[in-house]
Amino acid sequence: MDCNTCDTAPAIVLNKPEVVNVTLTITTKAKEMLDSAFDGDMSHALLVGVLSGGCSGYMYDLQIVESTDQDCQELSVDGFRVLVPNASSHLLDGIEIDYVDRLMGGGFKINNPNAASSCGCGESFS
Amino acid sequence: MGVIKLNSYVLIIRGSDRLKFIDGLSTNKVEGDCCTVFTTTSAKVIDMVDVIDMGEFLALVGHSPFKNDVLEHMHKRILGQDIHIGDASQNNSVYLSTSDIDVADSVTKRNTWRGWILVAPNSEIIDETMDLQDFNEYRVMNMIPHQGLEITSNNHPLACGLDHLVHEAKGCYIGQEILARMRSRGRQGKELVRLENPVENATTLGKTHSLAIVRTSN
């Protein structure tokens, strides 16, 4: 391979998905669990993002962060500061953050009206 | 048997997330040079690609008619990662050699399960010494499937002779759940076989034997 030609290989223009102004809801149970996780420190924020990968193509990414380098939109939901990366906003509009309390497969769950399908473990969607 | 020019694209993948990104979208463990398969959520083949690690970037070598499907597959999964895609298909030609031949320094050569893949800049002409019939005979003899014939969007990798490119211990990737279930239950539905001629519904015709994808007995 001629690396000079690789360096000058025409870049493929990516049509970035449109940034959507996200609305989302948090269930009562999830609020309780987030209250416990934040422990009253509202200087932190809940980052709700999407990573590529998983059995179905996308995986949810929930983190409690002070700040992030990602280009995000900031929401205030039930007193929580929520950050949603603009790059994945089209996949997250209308989601409900829930908490499922069970021994196996429990934890935070995302109910996503944009998801056509999800994998068995529930962490991945398409 | 010789050298044949393939109808291939060469995509250049740059960015710090390049290995992780391709690994997360395909069936094999991608840590450097390898061959891997992009699959849909229903585990059907999008394309098989040779991944060539050039240090600063990866080159993905796949089948030209499948290029747009691969690009679309990747585009949808770029969500802020450091990934930049270029297309070097116009500047390079791809050959397959059945033996290790000497090539100019500007030609990238990798030993793969199909033979030696040669990616040559257009200024470097490599003599083709094998025609399509010879290539098909080589593939039939070695049970090597090819894109557009056995490797198509109608098949999953286990059905078209690419099971060795489906990593057994790898975590999630698109289509993994279905392929893992097929393996664990021992039910893959179809398989690639080499049969003595005449072969009904052969995917590749050889002189005495042919390749076909047939239903498995289980």
Side-chain angles (χ1 to χ4, degrees):
Chain A
M1 197 175 333
D2 183 340
C3 287
N4 287 326
T5 62
C6 294
D7 286 338
T8 57
I12 293 172
V13 178
L14 303 177
N15 294 320
K16 289 186 178 174
E18 195 179 336
V19 176
V20 174
N21 289 322
V22 172
T23 58
L24 60 84
T25 56
I26 303 175
T27 65
T28 306
K29 185 66 185 172
K31 275 180 216 163
E32 287 174 16
M33 301 312 294
L34 284 172
D35 271 331
S36 170
F38 275 84
D39 199 21
D41 183 1
M42 291 314 200
S43 65
H44 286 65
L46 178 67
L47 176 70
V48 186
V50 174
L51 306 172
S52 71
C55 306
S56 297
Y58 300 111
M59 291 186 300
Y60 297 112
D61 180 32
L62 278 184
Q63 297 179 52
I64 292 175
V65 298
E66 281 186 61
S67 60
T68 176
D69 294 337
Q70 297 181 71
D71 178 25
C72 288
Q73 47 188 281
E74 185 170 327
L75 318 174
S76 177
V77 183
D78 299 323
F80 296 104
R81 195 158 66 93
V82 179
L83 300 175
V84 179
N86 283 325
S88 49
S89 62
H90 63 294
L91 298 168
L92 293 170
D93 187 31
I95 62 166
E96 177 190 66
I97 301 173
D98 191 12
Y99 187 89
V100 177
D101 200 357
R102 60 177 177 229
L103 282 178
M104 290 186 69
F108 286 101
K109 296 283 173 189
I110 308 283
N111 299 317
N112 191 340
N114 307 299
S117 63
S118 58
C119 79
C121 65
E123 291 182 8
S124 170
F125 69 102
S126 64
Chain B
M1 291 181 70
V3 177
I4 189 167
K5 187 175 179 181
L6 300 177
N7 181 16
S8 298
Y9 60 79
V10 181
L11 295 178
I12 304 299
I13 315 292
R14 296 179 183 277
S16 57
D17 295 322
R18 59 190 183 276
L19 278 172
K20 191 178 166 192
F21 180 68
I22 301 300
D23 185 64
L25 289 183
S26 64
T27 59
N28 209 350
K29 193 86 180 159
V30 180
E31 295 172 323
D33 288 346
C34 70
C35 189
T36 191
V37 185
F38 292 113
T39 48
T40 64
T41 51
S42 54
K44 295 295 170 66
V45 172
I46 298 171
D47 198 5
M48 174 191 75
V49 294
D50 288 295
V51 178
I52 301 176
D53 191 349
M54 299 294 289
E56 291 184 356
F57 61 88
L58 300 177
L60 298 190
V61 179
H63 187 55
S64 284
F66 298 167
K67 181 172 80 171
N68 287 341
D69 291 336
V70 168
L71 284 171
E72 188 187 347
H73 185 63
M74 291 196 292
H75 279 184
K76 285 194 282 190
R77 274 84 192 185
I78 299 176
L79 299 169
Q81 305 98 312
D82 182 19
I83 295 288
H84 306 278
I85 303 175
D87 189 352
S89 308
Q90 296 296 317
N91 305 330
N92 293 279
S93 297
V94 178
Y95 300 84
L96 185 138
S97 172
T98 58
S99 58
D100 188 7
I101 60 170
D102 290 331
V103 292
D105 288 345
S106 60
V107 176
T108 300
K109 179 170 68 173
R110 290 292 188 275
N111 187 6
T112 75
W113 65 283
R114 292 188 292 169
W116 278 260
I117 292 290
L118 313 173
V119 184
N122 289 341
S123 56
E124 197 68 50
I125 304 298
I126 295 177
D127 290 335
E128 285 187 83
T129 57
M130 178 166 61
D131 63 17
L132 186 58
Q133 194 175 344
D134 292 337
F135 180 49
N136 284 344
E137 202 60 46
Y138 167 74
R139 292 197 305 102
V140 170
M141 194 166 59
N142 294 287
M143 283 196 60
I144 298 172
H146 193 58
Q147 290 109 321
L149 297 171
E150 291 82 22
I151 304 170
T152 73
S153 59
N154 292 326
N155 294 318
H156 56 75
L158 305 179
C160 60
L162 300 179
D163 44 323
H164 60 292
L165 303 181
V166 179
H167 198 277
E168 294 200 2
K170 185 179 165 182
C172 287
Y173 56 84
I174 297 173
Q176 184 256 354
E177 204 171 25
I178 291 170
L179 294 172
R181 197 184 310 140
M182 285 178 183
R183 268 204 175 135
S184 66
R185 294 180 183 175
R187 292 187 176 192
Q188 62 185 56
K190 296 177 186 174
E191 64 183 341
L192 178 70
V193 293
R194 179 182 52 221
L195 300 169
E196 195 171 344
N197 290 341
V199 177
E200 198 178 337
N201 298 324
T203 50
T204 300
L205 276 172
K207 286 174 189 159
T208 60
H209 292 72
S210 295
L211 297 181
I213 293 176
V214 299
R215 292 221 160 268
T216 55
S217 51
N218 53 21

